[in-house]
Amino acid sequence: DTEVTQTPKHLVMGMTNKKSLKCEQHMGHRAMYWYKQKAKKPPELMFVYSYEKLSINESVPSRFSPECPNSSLLNLHLHALQPEDSALYLCASSQVFPGQTDTQYFGPGTRLTVL
Amino acid sequence: QQPVQSPQAVILREGEDAVINCSSSKALYSVHWYRQKHGEAPVFLMILLKGGEQKGHEKISASFNEKKQQSSLYLTASQLSYSGTYFCGTEMRASGTYKYIFGTGTRLKVLA
C-alpha cells in the first residue's frame, strides 16, 4: 500500500473558526511533511516530522499548528486563519528524513478556503 | 533562492521529445523530479544525488550537474499521459541547515 490519505478533501472556514486537517499513511514511513500550494505555484514546505518529532518549521505563522500523535498520523490544526491562507494543503511521507534515496509520497490534498 | 525552471511552458505533439531544465543559485545536495496533473497531488518521478548522476524511468530520464547546480529532465517519444506540470524539488544541506525548495514549474501539454 503506497497511499497517503488526507481528510477532508475540501474545507471552508471562517477567520474565527478552529479546524484540523488529517493525514494518514500505513507504509511504515517515519517522516511526514506538510506543504502549502497556491494555484499555479509550486508546493512550499511548511513542516517536517521525523520519528514523531518536529524537525523543520519553515517559519510558519503560529495560526498553523502541526501535531504528530503517532508514526502513521499527522494533523494540522488551524486557528484564526486569513483569506490568504486559502490553498491546497498537501501531506507527504517518506521512509526517513533526511533521506538519501527516499521517494516522497503525496496525499491528494485538502483544498482550504478561508472566508 | 527558488530554482528557476525553463521553459515555463511547452506544447508537444505525441512522439516528440522535450527537455526541462532546473537551475539553482545555491549548491544542491539532491534533485527530485515530480509531475503534477491538474487537481492532483505531485507524483515522484526520480531522485538524483550529487555526483553527475543520471537516472532513467521508462522514456523519462534525468541528469544532475552538481558543479553547475543544474538538473535536466528528458522526455522522449512523449505520450498524452505526460501532460502536466513538472517540478524539480531541490534539497540543500549546508552548515547544519536543511532546505527543500520546489522549482518554478514547467507546464507541458502533449497533443495527439
Side-chain angles (χ1 to χ4, degrees):
Chain A
D1 182 9
T2 57
E3 195 182 18
V4 176
T5 59
Q6 289 187 245
T7 54
K9 282 193 168 68
H10 300 275
L11 178 63
V12 179
M13 61 186 289
M15 289 191 284
T16 58
N17 292 157
K18 282 186 184 181
K19 297 284 184 184
S20 296
L21 310 184
K22 180 180 167 182
C23 172
E24 205 159 359
Q25 57 87 14
H26 295 287
M27 295 178 276
H29 290 173
R30 303 314 299 265
M32 296 185 77
Y33 310 73
W34 279 116
Y35 289 86
K36 173 183 177 180
Q37 186 175 25
K38 303 281 269 184
K40 297 188 178 180
K41 296 290 185 183
E44 296 173 26
L45 184 62
M46 299 173 72
F47 303 104
V48 181
Y49 272 83
S50 176
Y51 289 88
E52 294 117 71
K53 285 189 168 49
L54 185 64
S55 292
I56 300 279
N57 177 343
E58 289 288 4
S59 303
V60 179
S62 59
R63 56 186 184 268
F64 295 91
S65 175
E67 180 198 18
C68 190
N70 59 58
S71 59
S72 301
L73 194 53
L74 184 66
N75 297 320
L76 185 63
H77 302 298
L78 314 171
H79 174 55
L81 294 192
Q82 304 295 311
E84 59 263 29
D85 296 321
S86 298
L88 180 68
Y89 287 84
L90 294 162
C91 172
S93 72
S94 65
Q95 283 193 330
V96 293
F97 172 83
Q100 285 285 333
T101 58
D102 286 338
T103 300
Q104 281 193 42
Y105 293 90
F106 279 83
T110 293
R111 190 159 297 283
L112 174 69
T113 303
V114 182
L115 300 176
Chain B
Q1 199 173 3
Q2 182 175 41
V4 176
Q5 289 183 228
S6 62
Q8 284 186 324
V10 59
I11 299 175
L12 301 174
R13 291 281 176 192
E14 253 186 310
E16 290 182 338
D17 302 340
V19 180
I20 299 172
N21 301 303
C22 172
S23 185
S24 171
S25 60
K26 303 280 187 184
L28 300 177
Y29 183 85
S30 71
V31 179
H32 303 191
W33 283 97
Y34 300 85
R35 176 171 59 221
Q36 185 175 29
K37 292 183 182 280
H38 182 68
E40 298 180 12
V43 173
F44 177 86
L45 295 175
M46 64 188 75
I47 180 173
L48 300 109
L49 303 178
K50 57 183 181 179
E53 190 167 349
Q54 191 155 356
K55 294 197 111 175
H57 175 73
E58 296 178 345
K59 293 178 184 174
I60 301 174
S61 61
S63 63
F64 178 27
N65 187 320
E66 180 190 344
K67 287 182 181 174
K68 290 186 177 179
Q69 294 155 192
Q70 288 176 349
S71 179
S72 295
L73 185 72
Y74 307 95
L75 307 167
T76 57
S78 58
Q79 305 166 13
L80 294 175
S81 61
Y82 287 4
S83 294
T85 301
Y86 289 78
F87 293 106
C88 59
T90 57
E91 192 180 17
M92 302 165 213
R93 305 185 193 186
S95 306
T97 63
Y98 179 93
K99 285 288 182 188
Y100 192 85
I101 304 176
F102 278 83
T104 49
T106 296
R107 282 176 283 114
L108 185 135
K109 188 166 180 63
V110 180
L111 303 175

